[in-house]
């Protein structure tokens, strides 16, 4: 196949109309992976054998020309690449770390199970910053992932491989995790749509924990429609992650929507290209008849500080289980960033510093959360950049951890408040690198965000695009 | 607030059971000090009447029903369970 379909709709239509078979789809994706993976370093494990087995099952199901096929298997024939932090039964799962280089999980994550049952075909496990610690993909113990749009640039992290696999057209969909922008940032750097869901919307069972009060898992795709279809399958209680809530989802969207704009997100510390682009996006929403309302978020400037105290504290505790006895290798196998975060976390939790750092950060988190909640009493969504700059060059921030941490300055608020946010691609920089923005919403407002995203796609004539490589 | 001594770095490494090379000690001392200095901005925030946030869902004490399920199979009147170790392991 020369032209791979770029959406779920197109893929399933092609399968049902017999334009191509699932086996042929797998052929094409594996061919692309084989050709470009060495250079871009996206897949850590390729599960070709399993993919063919599943594709044959999919082709078998397709023979029963029943219209019910898609209600029984809503994601029939959809290929997926899992960030290598999702446990996959019998398939190596490394979390991007040498500590787990040879770890083979005995069970699969809830999300993996659900996507499997919905008819997806797993192509493999993709690279990420080790333990999901990073904003660029450069912290993987298995080498950095390059951005397929321009391989001198970072793919964005920590779900670097999940995004690059899509822009390199090596899969139709992927999954990621977002503790502070790790789904949204790489999506933004690769011209993709992605959702960081409400904390408690999707089970994290079987996903290696980073910072448990902030971790979320979510889908990545090339359109709002694809992301929504994945979300529909992934969401809801599973009996294994007690933070998940079953919600009576409000799919009907209010006729008059309001989007908030905050100067804290749109003026300070922004690259001029990103700034100009987001103001153009705001105009599009205005044209759609959406009321744009100014709001104030004075506490968001503390979000990164709060985040880097709470997150590292939780990291130091979650990574304590890697003692070389139960899972994988000894602690000497931890890479530099993991060590840095474990040290920071242990420091802010240690005797004499707990009140000044950890407890203080938890209190400021309350302040930020209250501020966010008050704003969402007035508006349905907030528009913000995903990152302060377009994709940056490989190596540009690696010697300065603080500079790297500040990449996530616009991402932190949604994680601290436990609210959803969707990254949407929009335009390209003068260097022809992807740009975009994020739409934040109140807890469990995913379907409003999808509706806003689709209105935007329609108005701008959005078409999925992959990098030319 | 905001700077770590070499002893602080060694103490924290000990708490976290991490072994550091002499080079790493110097590097981490500098980098961690810089980060701690940055996050110390929180001391300027008034949090007098605020409690800490440790979670955002509002859910508390989530329990499942404590139901007794019949065993999947029995052998000679005993419970039988699935094998948990495979030969190759």
């Amino acid at each position: 196949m020369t032209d791979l379909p770029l959406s779920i709709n197109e893929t399933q239509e092609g399968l049902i109309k017999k334009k191509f078979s699932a086996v042929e789809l797998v052929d094409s994706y594996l061919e692309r992976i084989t050709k470009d993976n060495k250079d871009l370093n996206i897949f850590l494990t390729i599960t070709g054998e399993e993919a063919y087995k599943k594709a044959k099952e999919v082709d078998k199901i397709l023979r029963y020309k029943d219209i019910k096929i898609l209600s029984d298997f809503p994601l029939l024939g959809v290929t997926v690449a899992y960030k290598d932090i999702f446990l996959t039964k019998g398939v190596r799962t490394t979390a991007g770390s040498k500590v787990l280089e040879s770890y083979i999980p005995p069970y699969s994550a809830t999300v993996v199970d659900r996507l499997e049952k919905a008819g997806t075909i797993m192509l493999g496990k993709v690279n990420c910053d080790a333990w999901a610690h990073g904003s660029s993909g450069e912290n993987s113990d298995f080498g950095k992932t390059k951005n397929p749009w321009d391989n001198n640039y970072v793919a964005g992290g920590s779900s670097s491989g999940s995004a690059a696999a899509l822009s390199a057209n090596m899969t139709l969909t992927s999954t990621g995790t977002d503790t502070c922008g790790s789904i949204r940032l790489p999506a933004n750097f690769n011209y993709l749509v992605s959702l960081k869901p409400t904390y408690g919307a999707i089970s994290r069972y079987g996903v290696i924990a980073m910072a448990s009060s902030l971790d979320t898992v979510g889908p990545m795709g090339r359109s709002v429609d694809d992301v929504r279809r994945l979300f529909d399958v992934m969401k809801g209680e599973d009996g294994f992650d007690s933070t998940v809530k079953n919600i009576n989802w409000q799919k009907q969207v209010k006729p008059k929507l309001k989007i908030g704009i905050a100067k804290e997100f749109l003026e300070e510390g922004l690259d001029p290209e990103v700034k100009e682009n987001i103001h153009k996006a705001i105009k599009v929403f205005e044209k759609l008849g959406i009321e744009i309302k100014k709001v104030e978020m004075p506490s968001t400037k503390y979000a990164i500080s709060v985040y880097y105290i709470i997150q590292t504290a939780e990291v130091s505790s979650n990574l304590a289980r890697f003692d070389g006895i139960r899972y994988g290798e000894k602690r000497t196998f931890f890479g530099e960033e993991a060590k840095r975060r474990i040290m920071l976390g242990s420091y802010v939790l240690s005797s004499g510093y707990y009140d000044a750092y950890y407890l203080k950060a938890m209190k400021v988190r309350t302040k930020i959360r209250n501020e966010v909640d008050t704003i969402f009493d007035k508006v349905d969504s907030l528009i913000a950049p995903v990152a302060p700059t377009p994709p940056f060059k490989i190596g540009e921030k690696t010697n300065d951890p603080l500079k790297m941490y500040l990449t996530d300055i616009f991402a932190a608020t949604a994680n601290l408040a436990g609210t959803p946010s969707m990254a949407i691609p929009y335009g390209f920089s003068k260097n022809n690198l992807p740009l975009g923005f994020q739409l934040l919403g109140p807890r469990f407002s995913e379907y409003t965000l999808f509706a806003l995203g689709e209105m935007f796609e329609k108005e701008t004539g959005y078409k999925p695009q992959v990098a030319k490589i | 607030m905001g700077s770590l001594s070499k002893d602080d770095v060694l103490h924290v490494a000990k708490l976290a059971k991490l072994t550091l090379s002499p080079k790493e000690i110097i590097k981490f001392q500098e980098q961690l000090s810089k980060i701690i200095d940055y996050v110390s901005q929180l001391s300027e925030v008034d949090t007098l009447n605020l409690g800490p946030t440790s979670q955002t869902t509002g859910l508390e004490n989530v329990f499942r029903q404590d139901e007794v399920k019949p065993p999947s199979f029995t052998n000679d009147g005993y419970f039988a369970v699935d094998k948990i170790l495979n030969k190759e392991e």
Side-chain angles (χ1 to χ4, degrees), chain A residues 199 213 242-245 301-302 304-306 309 331 334 336 339-340 342-344 346-347 350 356-357 360-367 369-370 399-402 405-406 416-418 443, chain B residues 1-4 8-13 15-20 24 27-28 31-32 34-36 38-47 50-59 62:
Chain A
Y199 186 90
S213 82
S242 60
T243 64
V244 181
K245 258 184 186 174
K301 66 168 180 271
Y302 301 112
I304 276 289
S305 294
V306 172
I309 292 171
R331 289 176 81 75
F334 276 127
E336 195 180 306
K339 282 190 206 166
R340 189 155 38 234
I342 294 170
M343 301 266 295
L344 257 176
S346 305
Y347 180 75
S350 65
Y357 294 111
K360 183 76 183 182
M362 295 221 294
K363 287 179 177 173
V364 183
R365 184 176 182 183
T366 306
K367 200 177 173 96
R369 199 188 66 178
N370 291 347
N399 291 326
D400 189 345
L402 182 60
Y405 293 172
L406 290 170
L416 292 173
R443 278 171 217 106
Chain B
M1 285 206 294
S3 102
L4 280 81
D8 286 334
V9 173
L10 290 170
H11 173 63
V12 172
L15 290 176
K17 290 212 170 355
L18 293 173
T19 327
L20 303 181
E24 279 179 319
K27 192 173 184 178
F28 281 148
Q31 291 179 342
L32 298 185
K34 206 170 153 190
I35 297 162
I36 288 293
Y38 179 82
V39 303
S40 294
Q41 63 164 219
L42 294 188
S43 62
E44 73 192 41
V45 186
D46 177 11
T47 52
L50 291 173
T53 289
S54 54
Q55 55 117 316
T56 53
T57 56
L59 292 170
V62 179

Side-chain angles (χ1 to χ4, degrees), chain A residues 8 21 26 38 43 86 115 141 144-145 148 206 213 337 375 409 452:
Chain A
I8 294 178
S21 68
V26 170
K38 217 176 158 190
F43 278 80
F86 289 74
L115 291 173
D141 292 351
K144 56 190 171 284
T145 298
S213 82
E337 183 61 26
I375 282 169
I409 196 150
L452 281 167

